[in-house]
Amino acid sequence: MTRYLKEFFGDIHVLIMTVLLIAGFVFIAQDMGKWTTWLALILGLLTYTAAEYFNHRFIFHMKTPQNPLLLKFIKRIHFDHHVDPRNLKLLFLPVWYSLPQIVVVAIIVYAIFGNMTVTIAYACGIAAMLLYYEWAHYAAHQPINPKTPWGKRMKKMHLWHHFQNEDYWYGVTNPVYDKLLGTYRDQKEVEKSKTARNLEKRT
């Protein structure tokens, strides 16, 4: 496991988000006794679970764009990951994609509440869940045997998404949105897709 932890935190995108998360917690540490701080943190966690599903389903799996720049972008973000699922250079979300989204949402939260502690706590919740997502995603594509039934189930679901049918099982950390929005099915009832390993070829 030590090898995998070193590999995981050795990725520059994971490392940057980890450092920023630690800095955020240092900033809000003196206010951790306030319920508003905890509420903001929890709402940040929940926000990321929704973003995880909707980004994956509607952005990462968009129709193959004709614009060369947009195609290059989506290939780096996700299409090429389906072609080569274990390639570490394609596995983690680049910080240039994730961080601006967190900043924009944080600006909106600050504009609404005018409280820097609440804003940073909310951003910390998002960043913490993002790192959990990155670990769950990493573990799904490595020869790691999750210790919990939940972890085992989520790993199976994600591998079904990659190797059986790309139109189901978008959740990586949880199946809630899949079940609510009709993209969760019994694996035995879903036919094998010819384009699961090459999203560019979808018509």
Side-chain angles (χ1 to χ4, degrees):
M1 183 57 74
T2 301
R3 171 208 154 189
Y4 296 120
L5 288 172
K6 285 182 178 178
E7 191 171 66
F8 178 74
F9 287 106
D11 179 82
I12 186 63
H13 306 289
V14 171
L15 182 60
I16 289 172
M17 292 307 301
T18 301
V19 170
L20 290 174
L21 178 61
I22 292 171
F25 272 116
V26 169
F27 183 89
I28 66 174
Q30 63 183 1
D31 293 305
M32 289 302 289
K34 298 178 180 178
W35 69 268
T36 52
T37 303
W38 281 100
L39 179 60
L41 191 62
I42 291 168
L43 289 176
L45 292 169
L46 294 175
T47 297
Y48 188 82
T49 63
E52 172 192 318
Y53 178 87
F54 289 105
N55 277 343
H56 192 178
R57 182 176 178 181
F58 297 108
I59 297 178
F60 297 177
H61 283 251
M62 67 170 64
K63 286 188 176 181
T64 303
Q66 299 301 310
N67 182 281
L69 288 178
L70 185 55
L71 178 59
K72 183 177 181 180
F73 163 80
I74 200 62
K75 280 170 66 68
R76 166 58 187 91
I77 290 293
H78 200 65
F79 280 18
D80 287 350
H81 170 57
H82 270 258
V83 175
D84 190 4
R86 292 190 64 183
N87 186 337
L88 289 179
K89 293 181 179 179
L90 303 170
L91 184 63
F92 301 108
L93 290 174
V95 72
W96 52 257
Y97 175 79
S98 300
L99 189 56
Q101 294 184 65
I102 297 175
V103 170
V104 168
V105 173
I107 289 172
I108 294 171
V109 170
Y110 185 76
I112 295 171
F113 297 102
N115 185 303
M116 187 57 72
T117 298
V118 166
T119 301
I120 298 300
Y122 184 81
C124 282
I126 294 175
M129 198 65 196
L130 168 61
L131 286 171
Y132 174 59
Y133 160 86
E134 294 286 27
W135 174 256
H137 193 206
Y138 172 78
H141 291 291
Q142 297 297 321
I144 295 173
N145 186 25
K147 302 298 184 184
T148 66
W150 179 273
K152 293 178 191 295
R153 181 64 177 173
M154 293 312 302
K155 178 166 184 169
K156 283 182 180 179
M157 271 183 55
H158 191 63
L159 294 180
W160 294 340
H161 172 78
H162 270 277
F163 299 106
Q164 182 158 349
N165 196 305
E166 73 276 21
D167 294 324
Y168 298 93
W169 312 296
Y170 292 102
V172 176
T173 64
N174 72 90
V176 172
Y177 293 95
D178 282 300
K179 290 186 175 183
L180 287 175
L181 298 172
T183 51
Y184 183 93
R185 294 276 296 278
D186 187 318
Q187 180 242 357
K188 296 176 182 177
E189 298 176 355
V190 176
E191 65 181 35
K192 188 174 178 62
S193 168
K194 294 180 180 179
T195 54
R197 293 295 301 276
N198 196 331
L199 302 185
E200 252 186 284
K201 290 185 176 180
R202 290 171 302 158
T203 55

